[in-house]
């Protein structure tokens, strides 16, 4: 019809945007090609075609690594949800029709979250959606953030003190700080503890780069109290065992306490804040139907 503008279907646009998004996530043309099962020249050509069409430069090239330009950042925020939505169209459509029979759910979390917080949500999810394969990634907070940013996981569950601008954090449950000691320890008989009471005794803490150590350091400095770490150990189960056998005392959140431990517990809420655990998502992330269903279960359990 006269006067009707012609609409040209961009046949290769989705392929170009998919290549662009994977290159942005990995910071590498070769890694993007590996993910997409394409050759490196093919991915390079798709990105170059996109740059020509948009009349802009999307990446800064720095040797083998590439970094998004400001224009590339803008395009990534616009295109990533579209690409992910198209790639998961079948799953989303099935879920909208009341079916969620296949697919995969990736969750990044630390050991304490996996041991103490996730078992019941995972059990309920597996019961309701037996066709969905769940992959739990046992990672540190730093590695979990890297996985989120690279879209290697649907979501993360854990505790956050500082929240970067590119993620959202929704606390769902709080736990209280406590001091744990061997049952025959001099501090075990005290109902209330001052930080200066703790100073003479050796602490067992998680590794230095984790948030527990930073929080202990901050609180003791705020109250002009000293502390002494005599043993670094990864994981609350290990720390509890070493406290039980008399190798030191520790400051933990009561998420890890079952009541069966052979330790004395003394509240430290006068000094340390409650610690929240919650849902961590990359800002702008397209959530798969299975991720949405899992988050519904987490919220119904803990909210």
């Amino acid at each position: 019809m006269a006067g009707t503008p012609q609409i040209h279907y961009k046949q290769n646009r989705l392929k170009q945007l998919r290549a662009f998004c994977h290159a942005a996530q990995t910071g590498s043309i070769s890694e993007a090609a590996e993910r997409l099962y394409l050759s490196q020249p093919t991915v390079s050509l798709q990105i170059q075609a996109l740059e020509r069409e948009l009349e802009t430069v999307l990446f800064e090239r720095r040797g083998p690594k590439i970094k998004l330009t400001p224009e590339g950042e803008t395009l990534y925020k616009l295109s990533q949800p579209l690409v992910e939505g198209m790639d998961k169209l079948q799953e989303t459509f099935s879920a909208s029709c009341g079916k969620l029979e296949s697919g995969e759910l990736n969750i990044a979390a630390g050991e304490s979250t996996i041991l103490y917080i996730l078992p019941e949500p995972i059990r309920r999810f597996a019961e309701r959606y037996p066709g969905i394969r769940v992959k739990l990634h046992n990672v540190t907070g730093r590695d979990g953030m890297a996985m989120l940013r690279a879209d290697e996981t649907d979501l993360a569950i854990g505790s956050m003190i500082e929240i970067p601008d590119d993620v959202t954090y929704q606390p769902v449950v709080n736990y209280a700080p406590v001091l744990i000691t061997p049952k025959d320890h001099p501090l075990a008989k005290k109902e209330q503890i001052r930080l200066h009471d703790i100073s003479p005794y050796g602490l067992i803490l998680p590794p230095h780069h984790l948030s527990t150590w930073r929080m202990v350091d901050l609180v003791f400095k705020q109250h002009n109290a000293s502390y002494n770490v005599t043993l670094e150990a990864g994981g609350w189960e290990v720390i509890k065992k070493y406290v039980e056998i008399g190798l030191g005392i520790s400051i933990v959140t009561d998420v890890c306490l079952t009541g069966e431990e052979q330790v004395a517990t003394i509240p430290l809420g006068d000094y340390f804040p409650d610690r929240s655990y919650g849902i961590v998502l990359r800002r702008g992330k397209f959530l798969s139907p299975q991720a949405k269903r899992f988050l519904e279960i987490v919220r119904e359990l803990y909210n």
Side-chain angles (χ1 to χ4, degrees):
M1 288 178 64
T4 302
Q6 290 185 339
I7 298 172
H8 297 283
Y9 176 65
K10 304 292 185 181
Q11 189 174 8
N12 295 318
R13 176 62 57 79
L14 180 59
K15 291 179 181 178
Q16 292 167 357
L17 289 175
R18 188 182 287 116
F20 163 73
C21 286
H22 281 281
Q25 290 159 10
T26 60
S28 164
I29 297 291
S30 60
E31 286 181 41
E34 210 171 293
R35 277 192 181 188
L36 294 166
Y37 302 101
L38 297 172
S39 68
Q40 190 172 328
T42 299
V43 171
S44 293
L45 288 170
Q46 287 174 341
I47 292 171
Q48 288 166 14
L50 198 56
E51 289 179 321
R52 281 197 305 274
E53 191 171 336
L54 298 176
E55 298 181 347
T56 192
V57 176
L58 298 172
F59 290 105
E60 296 174 14
R61 274 79 176 176
R62 296 180 180 177
K65 283 292 178 184
I66 56 176
K67 184 183 176 186
L68 287 169
T69 62
E71 294 79 9
E73 292 275 5
T74 300
L75 181 63
Y76 181 71
K77 286 175 186 173
L78 291 169
S79 61
Q80 197 277 335
L82 298 174
V83 170
E84 199 164 355
M86 287 298 295
D87 287 346
K88 294 181 177 176
L89 179 61
Q90 185 173 351
E91 291 173 14
T92 307
F93 176 74
S94 296
S96 298
C97 295
K99 302 174 185 176
L100 194 54
E101 297 173 349
S102 63
E104 187 173 275
L105 174 64
N106 283 271
I107 302 168
E111 184 175 280
S112 59
T113 305
I114 291 172
L115 280 174
Y116 311 119
I117 293 172
L118 287 180
E120 183 57 20
I122 294 290
R123 187 194 68 76
R124 291 195 188 188
F125 183 84
E127 194 175 75
R128 294 181 196 178
Y129 308 106
I132 305 298
R133 183 171 63 166
V134 178
K135 292 180 74 174
L136 282 177
H137 302 271
N138 186 351
V139 292
T140 63
R142 189 183 305 166
D143 290 341
M145 289 298 300
M147 291 185 72
L148 269 182
R149 289 175 172 134
D151 276 324
E152 293 170 354
T153 185
D154 293 290
L155 57 105
I157 303 284
S159 182
M160 294 196 79
I161 296 173
E162 298 168 356
I163 304 163
D165 292 338
D166 59 341
V167 304
T168 63
Y169 176 63
Q170 181 192 347
V172 291
V173 62
N174 290 322
Y175 292 97
V178 294
L179 178 74
I180 58 172
T181 74
K183 287 199 166 181
D184 58 355
H185 194 275
L187 296 179
K189 298 180 178 66
K190 289 180 173 283
E191 291 183 5
Q192 285 192 317
I193 291 282
R194 297 177 307 126
L195 293 184
H196 289 86
D197 295 329
I198 298 173
S199 298
Y201 302 102
L203 284 171
I204 303 173
L205 290 183
H208 193 276
H209 65 277
L210 298 182
S211 58
T212 298
W213 189 309
R214 295 201 303 273
M215 182 58 72
V216 168
D217 183 67
L218 175 66
V219 169
F220 273 79
K221 282 179 178 174
Q222 285 175 338
H223 292 84
N224 295 314
S226 63
Y227 68 95
N228 177 33
V229 178
T230 54
L231 181 61
E232 250 185 70
W236 294 128
E237 290 301 312
V238 175
I239 288 173
K240 289 189 297 181
K241 175 55 70 177
Y242 279 45
V243 169
E244 283 182 342
I245 64 175
L247 290 179
I249 62 177
S250 188
I251 297 166
V252 304
T253 46
D254 61 4
V255 63
C256 71
L257 299 177
T258 64
E260 297 177 5
E261 297 87 3
Q262 296 302 306
V263 297
T265 61
I266 304 103
L268 289 177
D270 289 344
Y271 297 101
F272 289 86
D274 282 0
R275 187 161 183 175
S276 69
Y277 285 77
I279 300 158
V280 189
L281 300 171
R282 185 178 58 73
R283 201 175 287 279
K285 166 79 175 172
F286 175 88
L287 277 181
S288 66
Q290 49 268 38
K292 289 179 181 176
R293 297 293 190 277
F294 180 75
L295 293 182
E296 287 170 7
I297 290 171
V298 170
R299 293 184 183 112
E300 83 184 26
L301 264 170
Y302 289 114
N303 283 353

